[in-house]
């Protein structure tokens, strides 16, 4: 039987066997070559803290107290997926599939498993795109909307807090879009080094000194036009508020856990007339702010196109690269030695 990497309990990741169901009319069966996940969100789901005793009502867009939670704790009988993106070869097609044939190599939204069943319209031809770059389409999708919806424009200044895969790709996109000054903040030196090589003008360790004060000093006292917060912890959100200039924008894209702490909303937030937004790509069931001009399909198509043109690149961002059997160990590293993981990849094919 094929195997997958799954969350089976709090802080517990295992390799499980599974069976593929029959293909539906517009579905494609893939033999997975590479797969990866968005491990920041995965870590947040380990404890299920935000959903304890709560149910998200999609009609009211409101969390309400309930005996049946929106996110029941994972178990071996009810595992959570670990993956978001992958590369694979088509080995079967549903009866009404017209876009793909057996033997095609594709990239798309996939789980970390030996086979994947995907809707035919959620895949793109791999072609000449580096397979490891292809694993970045999902974090690139979030970074894309962080940049677009916070309105980072040519000549503006931006600070990006939290340099996981999304944050590093946001640095790259801000540089491509012509930001005049880009500040990249993260406590891990390897991530700051990657940011410096791919567009950041200044890199700062927020645990050493007052990063917000240093950003104001480097911008002539003003602060930055836009701050994109991706660390997903409340002290980082407070730093974001302090980095912004009068009338600036905070793009809050981190997945915060538990009740807020370390926030002083009566200080810079109150006096500097800041705007805060959560971009599309975070949360459930909403469309981009400029829909219908931009929708999910157009955004993914644009990202894949820029990868294919060689304009959106991410050399060295995928690390470590492991076999499926090493997958549980990667999650131990994510929790205990995060400096060793930016965005992991599980390699199923030795030829990839």
């Amino acid at each position: 039987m094929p195997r997958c990497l799954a969350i089976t309990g709090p802080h517990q990741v295992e390799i499980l066997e599974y069976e593929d169901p029959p293909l539906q009319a517009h579905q494609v069966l893939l033999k997975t070559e590479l797969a990866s996940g968005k491990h920041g969100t995965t870590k947040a789901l380990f404890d299920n803290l935000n959903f304890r005793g709560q149910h998200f009502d999609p009609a009211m867009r409101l969390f309400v107290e309930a005996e049946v939670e929106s996110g029941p704790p994972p178990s071996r009988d009810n595992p959570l997926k670990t993956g978001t993106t992958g590369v694979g070869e088509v080995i079967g097609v549903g009866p009404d599939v017209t876009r793909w044939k057996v033997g095609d190599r594709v990239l798309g939204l996939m789980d970390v498993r030996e086979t994947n069943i995907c809707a035919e319209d959620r895949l793109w031809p791999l072609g000449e795109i580096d397979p490891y770059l292809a694993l970045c389409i999902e974090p690139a999708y979030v970074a894309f909307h962080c940049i677009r919806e916070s309105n980072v424009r040519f000549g503006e200044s931006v600070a990006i807090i939290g340099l996981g895969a999304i944050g590093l790709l946001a640095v790259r996109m801000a540089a491509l879009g012509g930001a005049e000054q880009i500040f990249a903040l993260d406590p891990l030196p390897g991530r700051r080094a990657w940011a410096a090589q791919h567009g950041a003008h200044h890199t700062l360790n927020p645990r050493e000194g007052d990063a917000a004060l240093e950003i104001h000093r480097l911008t002539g006292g003003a602060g930055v036009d836009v701050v994109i917060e991706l660390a997903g912890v409340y002290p980082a959100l407070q730093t974001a508020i302090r980095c912004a200039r009068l009338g600036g924008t905070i793009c809050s894209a981190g997945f915060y856990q538990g009740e807020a702490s370390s926030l002083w909303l009566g200080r810079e937030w109150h006096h500097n007339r800041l705007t805060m937004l959560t971009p599309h790509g975070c949360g459930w069931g909403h469309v981009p702010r400029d829909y219908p001009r931009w929708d999910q399909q157009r955004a993914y198509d644009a990202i894949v196109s820029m990868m294919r043109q060689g304009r959106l690149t991410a050399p060295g961002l995928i690390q470590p690269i492991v076999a499926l059997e090493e997958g549980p160990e990667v999650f131990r590293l994510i929790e205990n030695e995060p400096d060793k993981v930016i965005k992991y990849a599980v390699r199923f094919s030795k030829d990839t």
Side-chain angles (χ1 to χ4, degrees), residues 71-302:
S75 65
R76 299 200 82 195
D77 294 329
N78 182 41
L80 285 177
K81 295 179 179 180
T82 57
T84 55
T85 54
V87 171
E89 178 184 345
V90 176
I91 58 174
V93 296
D96 294 337
V97 169
T98 59
R99 300 186 183 195
W100 311 106
K101 64 182 185 302
V102 171
D104 287 343
R105 292 183 77 202
V106 297
L107 63 98
L109 306 179
M110 305 181 198
D111 190 18
V112 181
R113 54 177 54 210
E114 291 178 322
T115 59
N116 271 276
I117 293 177
C118 302
E120 67 169 323
D121 61 354
R122 306 310 293 150
L123 298 169
W124 293 263
L126 180 65
E128 66 279 12
I129 296 175
D130 179 345
Y132 291 97
L133 175 62
L135 296 181
C136 294
I137 60 165
E138 198 276 338
Y141 182 84
V142 180
F144 180 87
H145 288 289
C146 286
I147 295 293
R148 286 183 54 81
E149 296 195 3
S150 60
N151 204 22
V152 177
R153 292 181 288 186
F154 190 88
E156 292 199 323
S157 55
V158 58
I160 297 165
I161 302 175
L163 302 178
I166 299 172
L168 291 172
L169 289 165
V171 167
R172 189 78 191 97
M173 291 180 186
L176 287 171
E180 189 263 334
Q181 283 197 89
I182 301 171
F183 298 86
L185 286 69
D186 197 281
L188 299 178
R191 299 184 182 193
R192 296 198 305 272
W194 197 99
Q197 293 169 7
H198 294 89
H201 302 95
H202 306 278
T203 63
L204 299 169
N205 183 347
R207 295 179 183 171
E208 294 181 356
D210 188 335
L213 183 61
E214 181 66 6
I215 285 175
H216 279 268
R217 187 186 69 80
L218 291 168
T219 54
V224 294
D225 297 292
V226 175
V227 188
I228 298 173
E229 201 298 288
L230 289 154
V233 293
Y234 294 111
L237 182 57
Q238 175 66 18
T239 296
I241 291 169
R242 296 186 65 237
C243 288
R245 68 184 299 144
L246 177 66
T249 298
I250 311 295
C251 177
S252 173
F255 191 15
Y256 306 96
Q257 298 298 299
E259 293 186 62
S261 60
S262 306
L263 287 176
W264 292 85
L265 299 182
R267 294 179 179 175
E268 293 86 2
W269 170 257
H270 182 77
H271 293 284
N272 288 341
R273 296 181 56 226
L274 304 177
T275 297
M276 186 181 297
L277 60 88
T278 300
H280 176 66
C282 301
W284 297 325
H286 48 70
V287 296
R289 279 176 166 78
D290 44 8
Y291 178 86
R293 189 164 59 91
W294 279 89
D295 59 12
Q296 186 181 69
Q297 187 68 44
R298 183 182 177 188
Y300 273 119
D301 287 347

